Amino acid sequence: MTARLLDGLGLARRIHGEIRPEVAAFAAKHGRPPGLAIVLVGADPASEVYVRNKLRSGAEIGFRADLERLPASATTADVLALVRRLNASPVHDGVLVQSPLPRAMGDDAGQRIFDAIVPSKDVDGLTPVNMGLLVQKRAQFVACTPSGVVELLEREGIQIAGRHAVVIGRSDIVGKPMALLLLHRDATVTIAHSRTRNLEALCRQADILVAAVGRPGLVTKGFVKPGATVVDVGINSMTDEGTVLGLFPEGHRRLALFRAKGSVLVGDVHPEVAEVAGALTPVPGGVGPLTIAMLMRNTLHAALMAHGA
Ligand code: NDP
């Protein structure tokens, strides 16, 4: 069996097309486009790429999308001051602080900063208010990556209700909201993490397996029940030839790409899983583009809510 590839990129483009007229209608009605501000602290290379993609998609769809940059030397107080200014901005409906923050800011910086975003502009769904509303199944804003996954499963006609979903990863931004979204759609959900025992055997029970770990190729064939749907959230930029050779055999297109560029993006799911899974999201071109599409949808939603719609 070769898994059906779930085309996240194609779906993201369709969603952008769906949003575009609504964005134009908002701009015509209110005399300004819906606005998104992205706060980037420091110069983490992966974050630079993610932020650039978000800004580009926003501009293409018709949003106002602004980058608010702070140096890596910024203090928590500096970022909090910026977030408060954006909370009060009349042209920004959504405020996103890109993770990760520089380590030097300290362990609790992220939480303090996310807590400061006004919930009505929290398009990443990370504030305690929005997390709490999600737990209670009355979410206003849900983290973009897990909502993108659910959007993909539903539009691809993959049944969720009554099925066993295993989510590997329990972060606030992916794993936990992912598990809740699946639970709210009547899946039976198991959350696995670094202390889970017999991970491989547990995952083999899943009808829907979501890997959100950050370990390249962790999920191998043995983790997957034949025919299961496998969602690969992981994005890992590999620069080590040994690891890449463990994922792609000689002659593979991605190995050639690695040799040409010196790096390659891989997921948490080993490519061999395509031999057993029923459906699989590719990396790149799977969950990543949907994360951006959901960010755009959340920003439009924030703008409409701010105007009482
Ligand atoms: P975190 O590092 O915050 O969380 C990783 C989770 O994986 C933790 O819960 C951790 O467990 C668990 N874990 C780590 N090692 C193992 C292991 N060997 N076995 C089982 N579980 C393990 O990462 P994020 O949730 O932020 O991101 C996960 C991945 O998704 C990353 O690759 C990231 O780049 C990618 N990502 C992709 C996005 C997209 O748009 N496609 C968006 C956001 C993230 P514990 O809690 O016990 O430490």
Side-chain angles (χ1 to χ4, degrees), residues 282-293:
V283 176
V287 175
L290 287 169
T291 298
I292 297 183

Side-chain angles (χ1 to χ4, degrees), residues 50 54 99 144-146 149 168-176 191-196 199 211-216 218 223 232-236 266-268 283 286-292:
Y50 298 149
K54 289 171 185 175
S99 298
C144 302
T145 301
V149 170
I168 322 176
R170 56 175 165 178
S171 67
D172 287 349
I173 193 153
V174 189
K176 275 185 216 156
I191 305 176
H193 46 78
S194 66
R195 307 287 296 272
T196 298
L199 182 67
V213 186
R215 300 272 182 279
L218 172 85
F223 283 59
D232 190 355
V233 176
I235 300 182
N236 311 289
V266 302
D268 292 339
V283 176
V287 175
L290 287 169
T291 298
I292 297 183

Side-chain angles (χ1 to χ4, degrees), residues 1-6 224-230 273-274 276-280:
M1 180 194 287
T2 303
R4 172 162 71 101
L5 281 189
L6 302 175
V224 178
K225 175 161 79 178
T229 296
V230 180
V273 164
V276 281
L280 174 65

Side-chain angles (χ1 to χ4, degrees), residues 12-261:
R13 288 192 180 127
R14 281 211 301 287
I15 293 170
H16 291 182
E18 291 163 13
I19 294 172
R20 200 169 281 117
E22 290 189 63
V23 171
F26 179 96
K29 186 168 174 193
H30 299 288
R32 67 163 183 89
L36 171 67
I38 302 182
V39 176
L40 178 61
V41 188
D44 174 67
S47 295
E48 295 273 356
V49 176
Y50 298 149
V51 166
R52 200 181 321 132
N53 290 341
K54 289 171 185 175
L55 292 168
R56 195 180 49 215
S57 294
E60 274 168 16
I61 300 168
F63 288 90
R64 171 182 177 146
D66 293 327
L67 174 60
E68 298 280 351
R69 226 178 224 290
L70 287 174
S73 57
T75 62
T76 303
D78 296 332
V79 187
L80 286 172
L82 175 56
V83 165
R84 290 195 187 107
R85 174 165 72 72
L86 295 169
N87 281 343
S89 163
V91 295
H92 295 112
D93 304 286
V95 176
L96 179 157
V97 178
Q98 184 67 38
S99 298
L101 292 163
R103 276 175 190 276
M105 289 182 72
D107 287 345
D108 67 338
Q111 200 63 67
R112 287 182 60 199
I113 290 162
F114 296 136
D115 285 359
I117 300 171
V118 67
S120 58
K121 294 191 179 187
D122 171 28
V123 286
D124 240 353
L126 283 173
T127 58
V129 169
N130 283 320
M131 282 289 226
L133 289 170
L134 171 62
V135 171
Q136 294 180 347
K137 205 181 172 184
R138 51 194 185 116
Q140 299 268 15
F141 296 105
V142 182
C144 302
T145 301
S147 29
V149 170
V150 163
E151 191 77 24
L152 183 62
L153 295 177
E154 288 184 335
R155 295 220 203 182
E156 288 282 349
I158 289 165
Q159 193 189 332
I160 299 174
R163 306 189 81 195
H164 184 195
V166 174
V167 178
I168 322 176
R170 56 175 165 178
S171 67
D172 287 349
I173 193 153
V174 189
K176 275 185 216 156
M178 184 77 256
L180 285 164
L181 289 175
L182 292 166
L183 178 67
H184 293 161
R185 283 159 183 77
D186 299 321
T188 301
V189 182
T190 304
I191 305 176
H193 46 78
S194 66
R195 307 287 296 272
T196 298
R197 293 192 187 155
N198 302 324
L199 182 67
E200 184 168 335
L202 176 76
C203 291
R204 218 166 31 240
Q205 295 171 25
D207 303 305
I208 299 172
L209 177 62
V210 181
V213 186
R215 300 272 182 279
L218 172 85
V219 173
T220 51
K221 271 198 295 198
F223 283 59
V224 178
K225 175 161 79 178
T229 296
V230 180
V231 177
D232 190 355
V233 176
I235 300 182
N236 311 289
S237 175
M238 303 312 304
T239 52
D240 168 48
E241 175 146 10
T243 315
V244 178
L245 272 170
L247 294 169
F248 305 109
E250 279 298 342
H252 197 286
R253 179 178 63 79
R254 303 289 305 285
L255 185 59
L257 185 74
F258 167 77
R259 286 190 173 135
K261 282 183 59 188

